[in-house]
Amino acid sequence: MMNRTSPLRAASLALSLALGSGCVPDAGRPAFESMAYLAIVEAEDVRPAGGPALETLVAATRTPSARLRAAGARALGRLERADVLHHVTPLLGDPDRVVRAEAANALAQAVHRSPGRAVLPLLLDRMVAEEDPVVRGVLARSLGRLDLDEGARARVARALVDLTFDADGSDAPPEQLIGVVLGMESLTRRAAGVPADGSLASRLRALLNHGLTDDPRDSTGVRIRALAATALGHAGALGDSDIEVGLRDPAVAVRRAVASRLGRVGPAAYLRLILMALDDPAEPVRLEALRRLADGPRNTVACEGLLAAARSDEQVHAHLAALDALGRPCPDPREQEALLVGLAASLPTGASPDWHAAAHALRALVELSPGQAAGLLPDFVRHPSPFVRAYAAEAAGSMGDAGAVRALLRDPHANVRTEAAQQLFTLEGRRADADLTRVLNEAEDAQLALTLAGLLVGTPRSDEVADAALGALERLSEARLQTLRDPRLALLELAKGVGDARLAARVEPFLRDYDAPVAEGAAAVLLAWTGQRYLAAPRRQARLPYPTLDDLRAMEASTVRLHMDRGGTIDLRLLPDVAPTNAFRLLSLAREGALEGLTFHRVVPNFVIQGGSPGANEYVGHGAHTRDEVGLPVHWEGTVGLSTRGRDTGDGQLYVNLVDNVRLDHDYTVFGRVTRGMEVVQSLLEGDVIRRVEVLPAS
């Protein structure tokens, strides 16, 4: 994402150092600050271990500009290295509260993947001196997510309980309390299965009532109660009475949080609480109840609840969840069979987007009555939607119809072939290798190639498969896309296991690959084949361009509007102040029209929707990777995040949080939020198409 040297940006940072000395006129300071900020963005993106880029980040923490000091602290934390702690620690006492908050978060991020003992005393000591409630909340969040031993966790738990109170013994200010409860949620989640300290559980239980008398439009009290319920659930301390209280809460988020724990309810209260949740007016709450019914005993009450939702729930996600659950037989399965057959037989012809009920009904019917499903399968195999044909491949595999699976293995859409390949291997094991190898010989899709590479590990057809693996690797590599890393590495690994030194000449060019991990993978293959060490010498290609000052201003003043094919619009505001490179990428894709005609291929109710893939799957993205830009933004409902497959592997795909997903914090990047159209987001279904995208002035 950069030309490695940017004299203009380096100069802008140097100029920013003079901002407090009067060398820059007041009128010009905002522009100079923004130019310096973009210099920090470039330096951070290098993930420097030393040299000028690291010096730039350290220098940023010493500027007179609070904005730049905050950006420098954030960038150093994102390096996730303990050797930068001494550069960040002084900022805990910065006069600006935003800088202090970023410093606290950066210390925790620096040790995110290592023991947190090194920063524990720093954060605890600062807590004593800190007076600002927002910063105290961030300190609490940072403490709660440290990787600590049992004794240190207990110390943190006591500190967090103390932070929930103000000096007079009343509840701490909401802006502090929300951070503290986020810390408690992290602490209990990281120690899952370890009983919570008694005072911690007691305080969380008291917070289940926090803010009940406040203005219902104030989301902070709702989030505190929901997080308290979630933390109690992590700790195994959410009792039946707590769940009943939560199910009567006026806020949907709280009721959903406790409903997700219905599977832990004791037998005496189970029926009453399940029926309460099933009768809830909010679909997210009913969804959790339906999931618990699906996993529980298949008795008359469970079947009546599932059948009622499958027949009459007007909200589509609850309807589909009930259909999925009807694959297990009821005591008298005749009614559910009739319902599933009727819905599966109602599959729309043509390109209608309303195929979901029929597809889910078929999947359930396959488990309940394979014979009846077999008669309906041909309509699904011939359907124009590749999403429907993928369901057909799954159904054919489940009912053992190898002929239908093989037919779908020749489908024109790669996602259908991927599902068919998985099903054929499940049915036939190594007997499927010839068919899988044939498909690999033609594979040009990343997810398909990755799937086939995994299925063919251990095959005895060594020469043929090695040739097919290297052929697929060569085809995928022609596009020179960094986002193809995973399948290309998988193909190298497959070739290593089945090939030999006779193929070395085909692997040697990858020593100079454009993606360093692939070049290193090629060296490992050649070492395994020949016993000789080869030098990986990757020729890295230019990364994506950085945002300019004009781009930064555009991101700050623009709304990205998605027009959905089935109606409705979704407005997204970008967050260039914390995630500039990923916000800029979405703005660029929107400007280029690169998202138009793409789908939301992944829809997980009460979790996320994900989309923007040119291949409508997890492994086909947009060219080069972008770096993660994790930070303080919380994964609240409606925030927009960056889909990745490991650190620093953003590929232009996005997800929208359908609920508060705080467990994603600090591992995934939030780079935007939905400002209008959340009801459209909540109604989206698998395969829904983005018809048009426009960039508008922010409203």
Side-chain angles (χ1 to χ4, degrees), residues 316-317 319-320 323-324 340 342-364 379-394 415-416 565-566 599-603 616 684-689:
V316 66
H317 294 301
H319 176 60
L320 296 180
L323 290 177
D324 288 339
L340 293 174
L343 286 172
S346 68
L347 177 69
T349 58
S352 169
D354 299 320
W355 49 264
H356 301 81
H360 284 253
L362 177 73
R363 182 164 63 185
D379 289 341
F380 289 81
V381 171
R382 294 189 296 262
H383 199 272
S385 167
F387 286 93
V388 174
R389 299 199 302 277
Y391 274 86
E394 179 188 357
N415 289 351
V416 181
D565 201 45
R566 289 210 286 172
T599 65
F600 283 96
H601 63 272
R602 182 184 182 212
V603 175
L684 291 181
L685 296 172
E686 180 185 5
D688 275 354
V689 176

Side-chain angles (χ1 to χ4, degrees), residues 339 359 515 572:
L339 176 65
D515 192 19
L572 311 178

Side-chain angles (χ1 to χ4, degrees), residues 490-516:
L491 290 165
L492 274 172
E493 189 65 23
L494 175 62
K496 182 173 76 171
V498 296
D500 56 39
R502 290 173 294 178
L503 296 169
R506 292 180 68 180
V507 175
E508 287 176 1
F510 292 98
L511 294 168
R512 299 176 294 281
D513 195 78
Y514 60 87
D515 192 19

